[in-house]
Amino acid sequence: MEIADSVLNLPTEPRMLDVVREGLSDAKDVRIAVAFTRCSGLALVRDELRGVMSRGGSVRVLTSTYQNVTQPAALDSLLALASSGVETRLQDGPVGFHAKFWWFSGGRSSRCWAGSSNLTKGGLDTNVEWNIRRSDDPSMRLTASQFDALWSRSDVRDLDAEAIRAYGVRCAEAGADRRATLVGDHGPIVRPNEVQLEALAELAALRARGGRRAAIIAATGVGKTYLAAFDARASGARSVLFVSHRLEHLLQAERAFRAVFTDGRRFGVVGGGRRESEADVVFSTVIGVLLDPSLAARTFDYLVIDEFHHVEAPSYEVLRPIRERAFLLGMTATPERQDGRDILEWTDRSVALEVRLPEAIDRGWLLPFHYFGVADETIDFADFPWRRLDQIEDRLSVEARAEYVLTCAIERGFDGPKRATIGFCAGRRHASFMADAFRRRRQVAEVVLGDQGVAERESIYRRLANPSDPLQWVFVADVLNEGVDIPAINSVLFLRPTESSTLFLQQLGRGLRLFPGTEVLTVLDFVGHHRSAWLPIRSLDAPGGNGRRVEVTPGVVMQPPLACEVVLERRTREILEKIKRFTSRREECDHAYLLLREELGRTPMPTDLSRRADVPKLSAFRAAYGSWIDCQRHHGDEPLFAVGRTATDAALVFLNAIELDWQAQRVAPYALVWGLAQNPHDPVAGFEEFFVRHPYWSIERVSLDDSKTWATVRRKLERSLDGVRLADAVLGALGDRLLPEVEGRLLYTIDSDYRSRHEGARLHPSDLHVFDRYDRPDVIRHFGTHYDPTKHNKGVIWFDDDCAIIAKLDTSTAKTRYQYGNRILDDRRFSWTSQNQMAPDNATGRRVVEHAKDQRRLHLFVQSGSHERAFYLGQATVLGVEGSKPMTVTMQFDRPIPDDVRRELEGETSPV
């Protein structure tokens, strides 16, 4: 992206961060004078500063104690850079120091910048700042001499440990009246926040329609517990049962409900030695309900199931009778299947709110993060004992690694009133070792384990949150993955290889709650040379969000959420590139299959891949192995019915056919296949039973007599049918495995179709973000409706006065008559070829060509090829038209296409 002479940090334009990184990339002489320095800014350019020194260059940084804004921890980090040769001086006197100046010389060109950007996250990235560049020789000479004069002032001193200590004492005294507390100690909350208001409106509308069940899928930290309390109050419920699997969650939930319900009703807890089951609002563990028959028999008005993704565990069956009598609200950040069953069946697939972590960050409901991928070569991962926890802990519990972790953490710093760092460890012994190792290095550290009492754990959390307490490091195992709220956390360490995207995001979410004085969560992930190293990068990719794309390795790009940064050391990039180069798609599938098998405790099925970002899609498994049966055979899990059968066997041909996505426009063909398996002797009755078992699909229910469903199924399963039933060869081979094998495949496609066509909030075109990526269902939702393949599988789709044009650059795989000549002409113009029957003088053509005169808006979406997400290039204006049936239309858009977007569209780079 070309950098102009004036930079304001505006979206889609270069930021001061880009300016500084570019300047440091080739300069030999660097001079920086900034009033404020914070870890949130320094950490983003730390590696580049070292790079200047490694080339034999010179770096001088002048910063100030003015207004106590500069962080003592950032000064510690600057002092650590002295070992690389970076010189730092501190202005510390009565005269206000408000300079913001950046000077680069000796590279491809010399230039200096002055304006409003400090060495902070806001100054370099997110604030609207104004900085102007000068590069003429007189300006460079004048500003260099002025910098030298500042560097030599009497109120400027060399940075050393004593200066930092004295300044730190002053800062502590100035902020002594600040006291950080846990959520629930802030006093009564009088009104819901923005996200809660959205959900409350949806829940009220659901009840008005007669609905009795709903799920809330929301990222950790957006306030699900308070939302439950607000909605229980809004529903008029007199009695409430709040269920969780951990006592710690219940005590926090009780505090939230007490803050919302101020009408004198009785609160009680069942668990941890308390048996207050007669209260109006009861907070109980699942075991508490199992052990208290009177509680299980009560008629509650409102039932809340926290951490709803556990609901398919056998112990939760005790809640089904209560669910039938109460309004059910299930809350989770991760609705992914835990044992192969669909948890949303508990709520009839009714989702009142779904806001995943990237969207929550984009909308300002959670903190942004700075993710630092730190190369971890203290351990040899070549023979790492992935499945042996005791051996994993032994490998990770070494002094050299603990020393390295501490050094890296101090260098990268933190943002907030004090350091509050959580280190996620492999297990109990590893967590204890890390806490002891940090104490041996004169750090104040504690360990939190699952078998500690709630009071002991909460005492440690309060100490960590208290600015006056010296505790800065807490190492954990078995806890803090779910439910515990500690908003003061401002730094997270991932100290073991990540193998689960769900777990990674749960742990990341512990530090994303909004907290006064903290702008950003600092994340250090220690990346080793192992097959899981890419998983965190993929987990952080948010292609439908508002963040800026970053090239992870040559040719591979990702897009973190808004205001988030992914910073990878040079060695980390080399590790990731090498892993990608030598890891085949089949190896990725192998790893995912083994991970699922261990997690589920049984042989995985295709449906277990649903709603998971940490495993490849079913199509990838089929490309790697040929079929799911072949995948199972490869891993020694071949089912008995498949032994000795070849791919041409009737049963295997049938299963292979239903693994495919038929691109059905309605659910009926899949429902009929399910019916053929559920009731082989009366598939029509089986078809009807499908909608009883899956009532949320009633929205697409049709009569078999009035549809083409039978014709579709006969065409897809021609070798597996005998009239209106499955062939005897299929029935005989599969036996009692018939329905499980069918469900294990069909539900994968059915779940994907339901999410595309019926889930997600309906949005407005103003919610679209230029140069973000969207799939077709997302595009349609932004025009106020859900995706309907019978209406929306076209290139031109009108919504009143708004038109979505979805164009592919590569149409070579389409039939000849659908191969269009779409292309990017330059950074502001696009050539689009219309459908074959569109002409400038017919109604469909005129509607496009004359859109400006009629005050209609054209929204252009461009994808590189079929099945790829489309980049939104913004609203387009027709400049000219050539030809007819089809016609070639030249369009122009307001903003120039960024180079990285164009490279990805034209196939030079690919998404992570």
Side-chain angles (χ1 to χ4, degrees):
M1 187 180 293
E2 185 177 349
I3 296 175
D5 289 335
S6 177
V7 169
L8 288 89
N9 285 359
L10 297 179
T12 76
E13 295 182 4
R15 306 159 294 174
M16 199 60 191
L17 178 59
D18 302 310
V19 166
V20 175
R21 284 176 171 169
E22 182 193 58
L24 294 174
S25 68
D26 64 351
K28 294 182 179 178
D29 187 354
V30 176
R31 308 179 194 192
I32 300 169
V34 288
F36 309 143
T37 300
R38 298 188 67 83
C39 296
S40 63
L42 176 60
L44 296 178
V45 296
R46 182 181 186 84
D47 293 340
E48 287 80 1
L49 290 169
R50 277 182 167 158
V52 176
M53 304 309 301
S54 68
R55 297 193 300 271
S58 166
V59 176
R60 286 187 283 170
V61 179
L62 175 59
T63 191
S64 171
T65 62
Y66 181 51
Q67 295 183 337
N68 295 333
V69 175
T70 290
Q71 267 184 296
L75 297 180
D76 283 331
S77 190
L78 275 171
L79 185 59
L81 282 171
S83 63
S84 303
V86 174
E87 295 181 77
T88 303
R89 289 188 177 179
L90 188 65
Q91 189 276 340
D92 186 20
V95 177
F97 186 93
H98 221 239
K100 290 96 175 176
F101 174 73
W102 309 78
W103 195 90
F104 309 100
S105 179
R108 293 183 296 272
S109 64
S110 295
R111 60 276 197 199
C112 63
W113 292 80
S116 61
S117 286
N118 281 297
L119 187 47
T120 64
K121 172 182 173 56
L124 295 179
D125 182 18
T126 52
N127 293 347
V128 175
E129 307 279 357
W130 207 327
N131 299 277
I132 303 295
R133 174 170 59 186
R134 298 294 294 271
S135 56
D136 58 282
D137 288 342
S139 294
M140 292 296 292
R141 287 194 298 269
L142 173 62
T143 54
S145 65
Q146 289 175 323
F147 179 90
D148 290 343
L150 288 178
W151 188 258
S152 303
R153 281 171 57 101
S154 60
D155 59 352
V156 170
R157 59 173 293 181
D158 289 337
L159 185 67
D160 56 29
E162 175 55 30
I164 298 173
R165 188 201 65 77
Y167 174 59
V169 170
R170 279 168 30 206
C171 288
E173 291 172 349
D177 57 338
R178 294 195 302 266
R179 289 293 179 266
T181 57
L182 291 169
V183 162
D185 295 336
H186 292 291
I189 293 180
V190 294
R191 59 180 181 274
N193 61 29
E194 183 182 349
V195 62
Q196 291 161 349
L197 287 171
E198 282 190 26
L200 289 170
E202 287 293 329
L203 289 165
L206 172 72
R207 281 192 290 271
R209 298 192 301 268
R212 300 280 296 161
R213 300 164 187 166
I216 297 293
I217 302 171
T220 299
V222 300
K224 293 187 291 293
T225 303
Y226 277 102
L227 167 61
F230 287 129
D231 191 61
R233 185 179 66 181
S235 73
R238 293 300 308 167
S239 58
V240 180
L241 175 60
F242 188 105
V243 178
S244 181
H245 67 299
R246 278 191 182 274
L247 178 63
E248 207 162 1
H249 304 177
L250 298 179
L251 299 180
Q252 292 190 347
E254 182 189 17
R255 290 195 287 265
F257 272 70
R258 284 185 181 275
V260 173
F261 283 91
T262 57
D263 55 3
R265 68 184 66 197
R266 297 171 301 153
F267 291 82
V269 174
V270 176
R274 296 168 63 178
R275 291 289 181 268
E276 299 152 357
S277 57
E278 298 302 317
D280 301 310
V281 183
V282 178
F283 302 87
S284 177
T285 59
V286 181
I287 299 301
V289 180
L290 282 168
L291 297 179
D292 190 333
S294 66
L295 185 59
R298 278 189 62 181
T299 299
F300 287 93
D301 298 324
Y302 201 105
L303 169 63
V304 183
I305 303 179
D306 191 25
E307 304 300 344
F308 191 53
H309 49 276
H310 294 294
V311 77
E312 285 295 349
S315 57
Y316 281 75
E317 286 299 310
V318 70
L319 300 178
R320 283 192 182 272
I322 301 175
R323 178 190 74 159
E324 298 305 316
R325 302 187 293 265
F327 181 86
L328 167 64
L329 185 68
M331 306 190 305
T332 182
T334 54
E336 285 70 24
R337 301 166 189 272
Q338 297 296 300
D339 64 351
R341 299 181 65 182
D342 189 352
I343 66 168
L344 293 181
E345 289 184 1
W346 272 67
T347 63
D348 298 335
R349 294 201 70 82
S350 174
V351 179
L353 175 75
E354 181 166 5
V355 53
R356 299 298 184 110
L357 185 144
E359 182 184 355
I361 295 175
D362 282 350
R363 298 180 72 169
W365 297 339
L366 295 177
L367 281 178
F369 58 79
H370 287 171
Y371 170 93
F372 297 98
V374 181
D376 183 2
E377 298 182 283
T378 62
I379 294 173
D380 183 3
F381 288 95
D383 60 345
F384 197 67
W386 294 95
R387 300 291 172 257
R388 292 292 305 274
L389 179 59
D390 57 337
Q391 294 181 20
I392 289 174
E393 292 190 276
D394 287 341
R395 252 340 149 80
L396 297 177
S397 301
V398 293
E399 291 291 340
R401 189 169 192 259
E403 178 72 27
Y404 182 59
V405 168
L406 177 59
T407 299
C408 293
I410 290 176
E411 286 182 351
R412 297 297 183 182
F414 63 91
D415 188 63
K418 64 166 269 192
R419 175 183 286 279
T421 297
I422 297 293
F424 289 102
C425 300
R428 298 160 54 84
R429 285 195 297 113
H430 182 215
S432 297
F433 167 83
M434 290 301 299
D436 289 341
F438 270 49
R439 292 186 196 113
R440 286 192 290 274
R441 289 160 175 82
R442 299 182 180 180
Q443 302 296 312
V444 182
E446 292 287 353
V447 63
V448 171
L449 305 174
D451 60 357
Q452 290 171 320
V454 172
E456 181 181 0
R457 293 201 297 264
E458 289 206 337
S459 173
I460 293 173
Y461 301 153
R462 289 177 185 279
R463 288 184 57 202
L464 185 67
N466 185 346
S468 310
D469 194 294
L471 177 62
Q472 295 186 336
W473 313 87
V474 173
F475 295 94
V476 303
D478 307 323
V479 293
L480 282 183
N481 295 335
E482 301 171 345
V484 179
D485 301 336
I486 314 174
I489 294 171
N490 52 35
S491 176
V492 171
L493 308 176
F494 288 98
L495 300 176
R496 66 154 296 165
T498 300
E499 290 196 271
S500 166
S501 175
T502 297
L503 183 59
F504 174 79
L505 293 175
Q506 284 176 342
Q507 293 176 340
L508 177 70
R510 292 302 119 207
L512 294 176
R513 293 181 183 273
L514 301 178
F515 190 72
T518 302
E519 284 188 300
V520 63
L521 172 70
T522 302
V523 181
L524 270 66
D525 186 15
F526 291 84
V527 180
H529 194 289
H530 53 80
R531 58 197 174 192
S532 300
W534 275 94
L535 193 146
I537 302 295
R538 292 180 177 131
S539 301
L540 297 175
D541 188 30
N546 307 328
R548 293 173 181 261
R549 278 169 297 281
V550 58
E551 192 167 43
V552 181
T553 60
V556 180
V557 297
M558 68 166 295
Q559 183 176 7
L562 180 67
C564 297
E565 290 287 330
V566 172
V567 180
L568 304 177
E569 297 177 346
R570 177 188 57 80
R571 182 56 184 149
T572 305
R573 293 177 185 272
E574 292 172 353
I575 290 171
L576 291 172
E577 186 177 4
K578 187 173 181 180
I579 293 169
K580 193 167 188 68
R581 190 164 62 247
F582 292 104
T583 302
S584 67
R585 193 59 169 168
R586 182 157 183 161
E587 287 175 314
E588 289 186 22
C589 291
D590 281 344
H591 177 56
Y593 183 93
L594 294 173
L595 178 68
L596 281 171
R597 187 171 67 183
E598 180 179 359
E599 186 176 299
L600 300 170
R602 59 166 173 77
T603 300
M605 294 292 286
T607 191
D608 297 315
L609 308 176
S610 291
R611 294 181 181 262
R612 296 192 63 141
D614 55 342
V615 297
K617 295 180 179 179
L618 177 58
S619 57
F621 280 88
R622 287 181 55 82
Y625 301 102
S627 71
W628 195 258
I629 290 290
D630 289 326
C631 175
Q632 290 176 315
R633 282 174 172 158
H634 177 76
H635 293 98
D637 290 337
E638 181 181 26
L640 289 176
F641 70 79
V643 174
R645 299 184 187 274
T646 67
T648 60
D649 183 271
L652 302 195
V653 167
F654 167 67
L655 295 178
N656 189 51
I658 63 174
E659 285 175 14
L660 297 172
D661 185 346
W662 293 356
Q663 301 291 311
Q665 296 182 337
R666 292 287 183 264
V667 76
Y670 303 124
L672 181 53
V673 174
W674 188 91
L676 285 163
Q678 193 270 339
N679 194 337
H681 302 291
D682 190 354
V684 175
F687 176 82
E688 298 298 331
E689 179 65 18
F690 173 86
F691 295 98
V692 174
R693 300 274 190 94
H694 307 277
Y696 47 89
W697 272 114
S698 297
I699 193 171
E700 290 190 11
R701 186 173 185 169
V702 296
S703 169
L704 280 177
D705 297 333
D706 301 327
S707 70
K708 298 179 181 178
T709 302
W710 268 114
T712 300
V713 172
R714 287 191 180 101
R715 184 171 68 254
K716 298 291 185 180
L717 300 179
E718 58 180 341
R719 296 177 56 189
S720 304
L721 292 178
D722 183 3
V724 295
R725 61 192 297 269
L726 288 171
D728 288 340
V730 175
L731 296 173
L734 292 173
D736 60 5
R737 287 297 305 167
L738 175 60
L739 185 58
E741 295 294 329
V742 168
E743 281 192 326
R745 290 162 170 80
L746 273 188
L747 293 184
Y748 176 85
T749 302
I750 288 173
D751 181 67
S752 176
D753 285 353
Y754 191 88
R755 282 183 284 132
S756 294
R757 305 207 283 261
H758 303 295
E759 286 186 6
R762 288 174 285 189
L763 305 171
H764 187 271
S766 62
D767 295 314
L768 289 164
H769 296 277
V770 180
F771 307 129
D772 285 345
R773 290 177 285 174
Y774 300 91
D775 59 24
R776 187 174 289 261
D778 283 337
V779 170
I780 304 307
R781 286 197 304 117
H782 278 82
F783 292 92
T785 188
H786 282 122
Y787 170 65
D788 184 340
T790 66
K791 300 177 182 178
H792 300 138
N793 268 340
K794 298 180 290 187
V796 178
I797 311 165
W798 282 96
F799 306 88
D800 297 325
D801 291 331
D802 286 285
C803 176
I805 296 177
I806 305 175
K808 287 194 288 284
L809 290 183
D810 181 5
T811 59
S812 59
T813 59
K815 295 179 180 179
T816 303
R817 65 179 182 275
Y818 297 128
Q819 292 183 2
Y820 303 119
N822 302 318
R823 59 196 178 96
I824 299 171
L825 298 175
D826 54 41
D827 64 351
R828 287 185 182 270
R829 294 184 306 146
F830 186 82
S831 178
W832 172 67
T833 303
S834 74
Q835 290 91 338
N836 291 321
Q837 297 306 308
M838 189 177 288
D841 57 357
N842 64 24
T844 56
R846 283 198 304 273
R847 199 175 185 192
V848 172
V849 174
E850 299 177 4
H851 72 97
K853 183 182 71 175
D854 298 332
Q855 295 186 328
R856 294 190 175 108
R857 294 165 294 276
L858 304 183
H859 301 265
L860 181 61
F861 299 84
V862 179
Q863 54 187 151
S864 57
S866 297
H867 310 301
E868 298 290 340
R869 284 177 174 263
F871 280 96
Y872 178 50
L873 300 189
Q875 292 189 33
T877 302
V878 172
L879 295 180
V881 183
E882 295 180 3
S884 179
K885 294 186 179 181
M887 58 185 190
T888 300
V889 181
T890 300
M891 300 179 177
Q892 178 175 288
F893 15 86
D894 294 336
R895 300 187 193 176
I897 305 175
D899 291 341
D900 61 329
V901 172
R902 184 165 182 171
R903 287 199 303 271
E904 189 169 340
L905 280 171
E906 294 178 341
E908 297 177 28
T909 60
S910 61
V912 61

